[in-house]
Amino acid sequence: MGVSQLGSESRWRTANTESVQTVFTQQNGYFLIINNARQKQENQIKAIRSFISQRVDYIVFAPVVETGWDTVLQEAKEAGIPVILMDRTVDVEDRSLYMTCVGSDFVKEGENAGHWLEDDLWRQGRYDEVINIVVLKGTEGSSSQIGRTRGFSSVVAKHPNWNILDQAYADFTSAKGKEVMESLLKKYQDIDVVVSQNDDMTFGAIEAIRESGRTVGVDGDITVISFDAAYDALKMVAEGTINVDIECNPNQADYISDVIGMIENGQEVEKQYYVEEHIFTLDNVTEAVLRERNY
Ligand code: AHR
């Protein structure tokens, strides 16, 4: 089994890699070759080519961006090696170039963020007020960035009073999240809501907001909407620092192993499998939820 992981930019990614290493063990009948592409598509293409020349039985890969995979996936197809996409998907002309994709419904995650904001503004009696929003986006061209942006934007479109002040890329990392948030805070005096497309960027953004003298969260100046629901972020939800965290489930290798079982048994597989995900607020982050969190 050749696995091309796209990098190690976030807590989520570390957990996703751990899920692969825990499930695809020799004990479970696998010989795992895993490569970290460090956010570079060219490294992923190299890794896939090396898996092909090693004649692996399956290639699993988490594509850093959606486009640019047609040639290398054609090579895998010609070598007769099934490709399973993990986490993110690809945008290719011929969908037979990969067997299936196991990951998150990123559009739904973005919509959930928007629907939560609708409910929250309603609860606060601010439904018709002008609401100034900034969006910290993840890696440009990645499925998680594209899907979450699309989903949230579809809800924004229904609210002429929701004013998107800015949307800026911050690469899914804390350092970049802080840097980008600092510049947004200098540019805009009146930010009501930050939508940060992963927890790591959120941690950086919260630091920047606090250093600027403003407060965040349930009783704060700025509402914080985050994605992933990592342990450290859920603790902040429980404290009221992050208002809502839309879960992105990194424990995907078990699902992939089930899909491989189906393929091995000659069963038909679907083109897309979504993992189970929830929405976390102050009301449902219990001790039990925190105890079970593995990322
Ligand atoms: O594609 C999933 C996203 O990638 C996660 O939200 C983020 O933390 C990761 O880097």
Side-chain angles (χ1 to χ4, degrees), residues 6 9-13 87-88 106 109 142-144 148 171-172 197-200 227-228 248:
L6 64 87
E9 72 284 3
S10 60
R11 285 162 175 75
W12 188 98
R13 186 64 51 200
D87 164 29
R88 304 177 184 175
F106 296 119
E109 289 178 359
S142 65
S143 300
S144 23
R148 288 171 188 162
D171 302 345
F172 285 131
Q197 289 180 348
N198 88 340
D199 285 338
D200 294 75
F227 293 82
D228 282 0
C248 183

Side-chain angles (χ1 to χ4, degrees), residues 110-276:
E111 285 167 358
N112 284 339
H115 292 143
W116 176 85
L117 185 58
E118 284 176 331
D119 292 347
D120 189 59
L121 293 171
W122 185 261
R123 270 191 301 270
Q124 292 184 54
R126 297 176 65 200
Y127 201 77
D128 297 317
E129 269 179 35
V130 172
I131 304 295
N132 290 324
I133 302 170
V134 296
V135 182
L136 298 184
K137 302 210 273 192
T139 307
E140 184 170 9
S142 65
S143 300
S144 23
Q145 176 266 306
I146 294 169
R148 288 171 188 162
T149 306
R150 190 173 296 153
F152 185 69
S153 304
S154 70
V155 183
V156 172
K158 296 186 198 143
H159 299 277
N161 56 320
W162 292 15
N163 178 25
I164 303 284
L165 293 171
D166 222 321
Q167 310 203 40
Y169 293 105
D171 302 345
F172 285 131
T173 68
S174 284
K176 198 80 184 158
K178 183 170 184 192
E179 184 190 313
V180 170
M181 194 66 218
E182 277 168 353
S183 74
L184 293 173
L185 287 160
K186 280 190 195 125
K187 217 161 144 190
Y188 306 101
Q189 292 310 305
D190 187 16
I191 298 172
D192 296 302
V193 179
V194 175
V195 179
S196 164
Q197 289 180 348
N198 88 340
D199 285 338
D200 294 75
M201 293 190 296
T202 304
F203 300 140
I206 289 175
E207 249 182 77
I209 295 169
R210 285 180 164 159
E211 284 171 14
S212 80
R214 278 166 267 197
T215 57
V216 287
V218 175
D219 297 316
D221 305 324
I222 301 181
T223 296
V224 179
I225 299 178
S226 192
F227 293 82
D228 282 0
Y231 178 86
D232 291 338
L234 287 185
K235 291 274 273 187
M236 293 170 104
V237 173
E239 293 158 10
T241 306
I242 294 174
N243 297 68
V244 64
D245 210 327
I246 315 293
E247 184 177 35
C248 183
N249 180 357
N251 301 308
Q252 299 174 346
D254 271 323
Y255 290 77
I256 295 174
S257 165
D258 288 348
V259 170
I260 289 175
M262 289 165 69
I263 299 170
E264 292 289 311
N265 287 334
Q267 284 168 255
E268 284 270 316
V269 295
E270 319 240 322
K271 211 63 198 172
Q272 176 75 57
Y273 292 96
Y274 290 128
V275 292
E276 196 186 326

Side-chain angles (χ1 to χ4, degrees), residues 91-111:
D91 180 4
V92 284
E93 268 192 24
D94 173 4
R95 294 212 322 149
S96 78
L97 293 182
Y98 63 90
M99 183 145 266
T100 182
C101 176
V102 175
S104 305
D105 187 341
F106 296 119
V107 175
K108 186 164 164 220
E109 289 178 359
E111 285 167 358

